[in-house]
Amino acid sequence: MLNKEAAEKLVDQAVEAHKNAYAPYSNYKVSAALLTKSGKTFTGVNVENAVYPMTICAERAAVVSAVSAGEREFEAIVVVTRDAGTPCGSCRQVLAEFGLDIAVIIADDKGKIHDTTTVGDLLPHSFGQANLDSEG
Ligand SMILES: [Zn+2]
């Protein structure tokens, strides 16, 4: 788990990215900052679309950005919303692909941390690679 200073730095980066969220329909801005085990940070924001299902969440945007840069091992992700909302089911599944032990820090847009948990705690009894590798 991250120490307090590292967690606060990651929260600051997510709060900084928050202004870039594109949420003209829901007006519910979300930003995320994903820390790799190699020490790099990738941010993401929600990007809505007039065709609503085309919307992508901040968490998945951050994961896609990191994986595109060759990173697959993650330490923690901060998710920032106005009311300290938690990641949706789709994002929990996408994060689980890269490890149930990834720390998930829930913060608000003022930078206050409301909860620190893990992907595994957010997605119990998850489906993953091991299921596909199992015999019969
Ligand atoms: Zn999501």
Side-chain angles (χ1 to χ4, degrees), residues 96-109:
E97 180 70 19
F98 299 98
L100 296 172
D101 60 342
I102 299 168
V104 180
I105 299 167
I106 307 299
D108 64 30
D109 57 3

Side-chain angles (χ1 to χ4, degrees), residues 29-110:
K29 293 184 168 191
V30 187
S31 57
L34 178 65
L35 178 67
T36 69
K37 289 194 173 171
S38 64
K40 294 179 191 150
T41 302
F42 293 84
T43 57
V45 296
N46 58 335
V47 181
E48 294 184 349
N49 191 280
V51 180
Y52 293 180
M54 296 301 101
T55 296
I56 185 159
C57 299
E59 302 92 315
R60 281 181 288 147
V63 169
V64 167
S65 178
V67 173
S68 298
E71 300 287 344
R72 293 180 183 174
E73 295 188 2
F74 307 124
E75 187 76 36
I77 187 167
V78 169
V79 182
V80 165
T81 61
R82 63 183 175 228
D83 62 349
T86 59
C88 76
S90 295
C91 288
R92 294 175 193 205
Q93 182 66 42
V94 168
L95 287 165
E97 180 70 19
F98 299 98
L100 296 172
D101 60 342
I102 299 168
V104 180
I105 299 167
I106 307 299
D108 64 30
D109 57 3
K110 307 286 188 288

